Amino acid sequence: MKVLLLGSGGREHALAVKIAQSQYLTKLFIAPGNPGTAECGQNVSLDISDFEAINNFVEENDIEMLVVGPEDPLVKGVVDYFADKPVSVIGPSKKGAALEGSKDFAKDFMVRHGIPTARYRSFDKSRLSQGYDFLDTLTAPFVLKADGLAAGKGVIIVDDLSEAKTTLNEMLNGKFGVASDKVVIEEFLQGIEVSVFVLTDGKSYKILPEAKDYKRIGEDDRGLNTGGMGAVSPVPFADKIFMDRVEKKIIEPTIKGLQKDEIDYKGFIFFGLMNCNGEPYVIEYNVRMGDPETEAVLPRLDADILDLFDGVANGALDAKQCAINPATAVTVVVVSGGYPEEYTKGFEIKGISSIKENKVYHAGTSVTGNKLVTSGGRVFAVTALSGSLTSALDSVYDSVSKISFDGSYYRKDIGKDLLKY
Ligand code: AMP
Ligand code: GLY
């Protein structure tokens, strides 16, 4: 099978590694890819929101399967664009992608299908005063979410009621551009977060390994939110009882809801969950894999990923095997100094070739001349897969310490909170 993978981050490097291992692969292209994906296939310089350019490449190279990494092309309708073309696309239709593209749509979907989530209301500019009234009924902290995609920055949580009202006013007046033309206000959920992933053909599904993400830049979960500074899989507190509840109360009704609403969905669903005293609630849906969670989840997948994707594309996922490795994966993200705010690019990277025992996924790197240099905020994700959390932590931090470039930073406490379980 000839495959084109869209995206350029650590998630796509992890997907490319897995696809390259498939016995069904004849040729892998990655657009635009990165120096890591170049070791798994051929990078091609394509704009992933230019569907016509993608289609031309697909036709010229007889691509049989298109795998979409990030949410943007999905929310813009890449699956619908290719619907009548002879290529299988792994990803939801535009309507399905609205589960991530519109928080209001996602909340409405959850309520309609009885899926546990925080109590909420949505407001546009014409209903500002009703928004204030709804805030009056809630207790602190107050959670305000831009309806649309806002580069991961659209959620604001504040402790003070008057600050919440000011924030609502600012959001409805363009704080996040059109993404906050509508704002979802919801109850704060107290608990501990876990990410659960499934792959679905729209009828049946396979549950992939769950993961815990570390979102804040600073140790002990302090400081600004980032795309993710590390991940651990499996998650010790997501035990069988909890995961059974997730399947019954969240995964099954979501898949049935998609069918009832006649939403075409062939791809990944990422459930951002809160474990509130053992009961799962959905914080958000994403319509793709997580990053850096993918770099911890896929190394534990003992299945041929193209075989699974073939099941997804042909509505035959039910018959596929999806074995999971019980070992623990720990991923640590190495970032540029200053990230998630301003940072300088172009620093030479050293030490990668001395890491033999673990997998180094490229995220923000590029090759200049014959040097590997930094080209993004998130530079690498390093994953160790080992028999225990303790040994995986020792191993991953040993590898990470070998990477050097000016201003490099990583959190040293990834997974430490899970040692007590
Ligand atoms: P989201 O972009 O929806 O994932 O939200 C970003 C982060 O805000 C989540 O990962 C949570 O840590 C937090 N968050 C969002 N909604 C809630 C909520 N209702 N209660 C508590 N925390 C929340
Ligand atoms: N790591 C969180 C995300 O991919 O959205």
Side-chain angles (χ1 to χ4, degrees):
M1 195 187 305
K2 285 175 114 180
V3 178
L4 172 62
L5 167 65
L6 301 184
S8 62
R11 166 182 52 212
E12 285 73 26
H13 188 184
L15 280 163
V17 166
K18 208 74 200 168
I19 294 170
Q21 288 166 357
S22 170
Q23 62 163 316
Y24 302 102
L25 184 74
T26 49
K27 173 102 190 172
L28 173 62
F29 296 96
I30 310 96
N34 65 37
T37 63
E39 291 166 14
C40 312
Q42 186 182 329
N43 287 348
V44 286
S45 155
L46 282 173
D47 172 358
I48 63 168
S49 32
D50 185 346
F51 300 162
E52 212 177 303
I54 297 169
N55 186 43
N56 289 339
F57 185 86
V58 163
E59 285 181 356
E60 281 160 21
N61 294 279
D62 302 317
I63 301 294
E64 296 158 271
M65 183 175 281
L66 184 62
V67 180
V68 186
E71 65 277 15
D72 232 43
L74 295 168
V75 172
K76 287 181 180 143
V78 69
V79 171
D80 308 65
Y81 179 92
F82 281 96
D84 58 357
K85 297 188 165 52
V87 55
S88 306
V89 190
I90 303 303
S93 62
K94 187 171 183 174
K95 207 166 158 204
L99 285 178
E100 176 164 0
S102 166
K103 303 244 185 231
D104 181 48
F105 175 84
K107 295 294 284 192
D108 191 52
F109 178 91
M110 288 183 256
V111 170
R112 197 160 62 245
H113 299 295
I115 297 162
T117 188
R119 190 165 68 90
Y120 85 107
R121 294 273 174 78
S122 297
F123 301 93
D124 61 17
K125 209 170 163 177
S126 70
R127 298 181 61 236
L128 179 64
S129 68
Q130 285 98 323
Y132 291 159
D133 292 345
F134 183 60
L135 282 168
D136 284 330
T137 71
L138 300 175
T139 49
F142 304 94
V143 183
L144 297 102
K145 301 184 171 185
D147 175 54
L149 293 183
K153 298 196 169 88
V155 176
I156 298 184
I157 301 179
V158 293
D159 284 323
D160 179 72
L161 180 61
S162 71
E163 198 187 335
K165 290 182 178 175
T166 310
T167 304
L168 176 63
N169 192 6
E170 286 170 2
M171 288 175 83
L172 290 174
N173 284 290
K175 188 176 172 70
F176 298 106
V178 290
S180 62
D181 277 356
K182 213 187 261 178
V183 173
V184 167
I185 302 176
E186 67 180 34
E187 254 174 356
F188 184 83
L189 296 169
Q190 199 80 50
I192 177 159
E193 287 183 63
V194 56
S195 306
V196 171
F197 305 93
V198 307
L199 187 58
T200 182
D201 60 6
K203 301 182 306 238
S204 65
Y205 57 86
K206 299 287 180 198
I207 303 179
L208 304 174
E210 77 287 351
K212 183 173 191 290
D213 180 19
Y214 293 77
K215 286 202 166 77
R216 302 295 193 94
I217 188 72
E219 282 161 25
D220 299 323
D221 294 325
R222 286 175 217 267
L224 293 173
N225 252 323
T226 71
M229 295 298 292
V232 176
S233 178
V235 180
F237 62 79
D239 55 15
K240 177 149 179 13
I241 295 174
F242 179 75
M243 289 305 288
D244 284 348
R245 285 181 184 154
V246 170
E247 182 165 14
K248 259 211 165 44
K249 298 183 176 187
I250 290 168
I251 298 174
E252 280 176 8
T254 297
I255 304 292
K256 286 205 179 99
L258 290 170
Q259 286 174 290
K260 265 191 213 146
D261 293 353
E262 295 181 3
I263 294 174
D264 189 25
Y265 204 115
K266 292 177 182 299
F268 293 103
I269 310 178
F270 164 169
F271 300 86
L273 304 180
M274 191 71 89
N275 176 343
C276 303
N277 293 318
E279 284 298 329
Y281 289 80
V282 178
I283 300 174
E284 62 166 352
Y285 285 115
N286 294 305
V287 297
R288 51 168 173 88
M289 286 297 288
D291 195 350
E293 291 97 323
T294 306
E295 295 93 303
V297 166
L298 290 189
R300 295 190 56 219
L301 184 64
D302 277 341
D304 185 313
I305 202 165
L306 286 189
D307 188 39
L308 291 175
F309 286 166
D310 179 65
V312 168
N314 295 308
L317 185 61
D318 208 21
K320 302 291 183 185
Q321 296 300 318
C322 185
I324 304 298
N325 183 336
T328 295
V330 177
T331 301
V332 174
V333 177
V334 183
V335 303
S336 297
Y339 173 84
E341 297 186 287
E342 276 190 25
Y343 54 86
T344 308
K345 303 178 191 176
F347 292 121
E348 185 176 358
I349 299 160
K350 294 203 170 128
I352 299 300
S353 57
S354 66
I355 301 172
K356 307 276 187 230
E357 61 290 1
N358 290 318
K359 189 71 205 164
V360 179
Y361 297 106
H362 291 240
T365 68
S366 62
V367 176
T368 308
N370 56 3
K371 283 185 190 157
L372 186 68
V373 300
T374 62
S375 64
R378 292 140 67 83
V379 182
F380 294 106
V382 184
T383 299
L385 185 65
S386 189
S388 70
L389 177 56
T390 315
S391 58
L393 283 170
D394 287 346
S395 179
V396 76
Y397 278 113
D398 181 55
S399 295
V400 164
S401 71
K402 294 177 182 164
I403 298 177
S404 72
F405 57 87
D406 281 0
S408 73
Y409 169 79
Y410 57 89
R411 273 179 62 167
K412 295 179 184 60
D413 66 338
I414 303 301
K416 301 268 159 75
D417 57 319
L418 300 176
L419 287 167
K420 64 173 183 270
Y421 289 95

